[in-house]
Amino acid sequence: TKHVEILDAKTKDKLCFLDKVEPNATIGEIKSMFHKSHPQWYPARQSIRLDPKGKSLKDEDVLQHLPVGTTATFYFRDLGAQISWVTVFLTEYAGPLLIYLLFYFRVPFIYAPKYDFTASKHWVVHLACMCHSFHYVKRLLETLFVHRFSHGTMPLRNIFKNCTYYWGFAAWMDECFSLFLQFCQIGNFSIHITLRNLRPPGSKTRKIPYPTKNPFTWIFLLVSCPNYTYELGSWLGFTLMTQCLPVAFFTLVGFIQMTVWAKGKHRSYLKEFRDYPPLRSPILPFIL
């Protein structure tokens, strides 16, 4: 058996000493033991590290496989209150769907009283509502039935930033006529299904995604994150067809954020898989 001491990563104060820990114990199990002595820090908000400024250890890491002696010293950092990714996505996507419909149905207090619950005479307004609603209904259904998350939670504070982006722009864009390419929506959905099938239920296994028989997945030959490529295509189509400034700004901000995510995932693939296809770019073939 081993002994485990857990120190505060900032102050170096000893927070906990665990006696007679089995060598095959995982970091996830050690987090649960630590939680018993410090109930305010549930496992999801714990970051356990070998070095105060090092990277967080994975829950599946095994004690005996780590570079520690008979007494293992770990450093703890509080990640803050956590919220499940499913809750995050449902909150992010339900907001724009409902906000858009409030403007579409012209509920009171949004427009002048004479327009309350009146319908537009322009067919593009109704088509735009169907397209916008389809996009976010698809996102909600994917969250419930398609996505499998490698991390169960995220910091609660981030949901306010994310919702400001999705909800705020939804309210701004709803003043415009919106339409976007359904081709990209189908492509985006196809990529999500492919990524889902790479990870068995309940597993955190990571594999290299490759094209399947579905033509919409062939873009994997050129980019690491084609779900973002299709997403960008959708909003570019939305921007060109509406010629609306809020939509264009939403697309620009979204492109910048998706590029950051794509580059990070691309670097992870290159680091984790030595045989990763060298031709792939993060988000835009041969460019970015």
Side-chain angles (χ1 to χ4, degrees):
T1 60
K2 290 180 177 290
H3 306 297
V4 174
E5 65 174 0
I6 300 178
L7 310 182
D8 187 290
K10 292 182 179 180
T11 65
K12 309 301 186 297
D13 294 337
K14 183 181 290 187
L15 299 175
C16 180
F17 185 83
L18 303 174
D19 192 22
K20 296 181 180 180
V21 178
E22 293 297 326
N24 60 353
T26 64
I27 293 298
E29 292 170 340
I30 291 175
K31 286 183 177 180
S32 297
M33 299 177 195
F34 181 57
H35 176 229
K36 290 180 180 179
S37 60
H38 295 276
Q40 72 273 29
W41 292 321
Y42 47 88
R45 69 181 293 169
Q46 297 177 30
S47 171
I48 301 296
R49 314 169 182 204
L50 289 171
D51 183 84
K53 297 183 179 179
K55 293 184 177 180
S56 299
L57 295 170
K58 298 178 181 179
D59 284 352
E60 56 268 26
D61 286 340
V62 179
L63 182 59
Q64 63 184 354
H65 297 158
L66 297 173
V68 295
T70 304
T71 299
T73 300
F74 295 117
Y75 295 89
F76 161 80
R77 184 178 291 273
D78 182 11
L79 297 176
Q82 300 288 299
I83 185 172
S84 75
W85 276 104
V86 172
T87 302
V88 170
F89 281 178
L90 291 178
T91 304
E92 288 178 357
Y93 302 148
L97 175 63
L98 296 176
I99 290 172
Y100 196 102
L101 292 176
L102 290 177
F103 281 85
Y104 174 74
F105 288 112
R106 299 181 179 181
V107 298
F109 310 114
I110 293 181
Y111 296 103
K114 65 178 181 180
Y115 296 114
D116 288 353
F117 299 112
T118 59
S120 173
K121 298 178 181 178
H122 302 283
W123 66 270
V124 70
V125 174
H126 307 299
L127 181 59
C129 182
M130 288 188 289
C131 292
H132 189 275
S133 299
F134 172 79
H135 174 73
Y136 284 105
V137 168
K138 179 183 77 71
R139 288 283 191 91
L140 290 169
L141 292 176
E142 286 177 344
T143 298
L144 292 172
F145 303 111
V146 175
H147 293 318
R148 288 175 180 155
F149 303 99
S150 57
H151 300 285
T153 64
M154 66 170 274
L156 177 62
R157 60 183 178 273
N158 287 356
I159 196 172
F160 300 103
K161 176 188 69 175
N162 294 8
C163 285
T164 298
Y165 169 69
Y166 282 104
W167 292 33
F169 274 111
W172 193 15
M173 288 189 301
D174 290 333
E175 298 287 349
C176 307
F177 301 146
S178 53
L179 180 65
F180 56 88
L181 300 177
Q182 295 304 315
F183 174 88
C184 289
Q185 288 295 296
I186 297 173
N188 182 268
F189 179 74
S190 299
I191 298 302
H192 286 164
I193 291 295
T194 301
L195 293 175
R196 176 186 185 273
N197 292 337
L198 285 178
R199 182 173 293 154
S203 169
K204 295 184 179 181
T205 303
R206 285 168 56 88
K207 299 178 182 178
I208 300 176
Y210 287 104
T212 66
K213 294 180 181 179
N214 182 345
F216 287 99
T217 67
W218 295 352
I219 193 174
F220 267 125
L221 294 171
L222 301 176
V223 296
S224 295
C225 301
N227 51 322
Y228 296 145
T229 309
Y230 280 123
E231 183 81 4
L232 175 62
S234 294
W235 292 111
L236 282 176
F238 195 176
T239 301
L240 293 174
M241 291 181 184
T242 60
Q243 299 182 23
C244 181
L245 179 60
V247 178
F249 196 58
F250 174 88
T251 302
L252 176 62
V253 174
F255 172 60
I256 293 172
Q257 181 62 73
M258 287 188 289
T259 299
V260 172
W261 290 335
K263 284 185 173 181
K265 196 164 188 177
H266 183 73
R267 285 194 296 268
S268 296
Y269 280 142
L270 292 174
K271 184 178 180 180
E272 187 170 355
F273 304 107
R274 294 183 178 180
D275 57 341
Y276 192 72
L279 189 62
R280 294 185 186 180
S281 300
I283 188 170
L284 298 178
F286 311 113
I287 300 176
L288 186 64

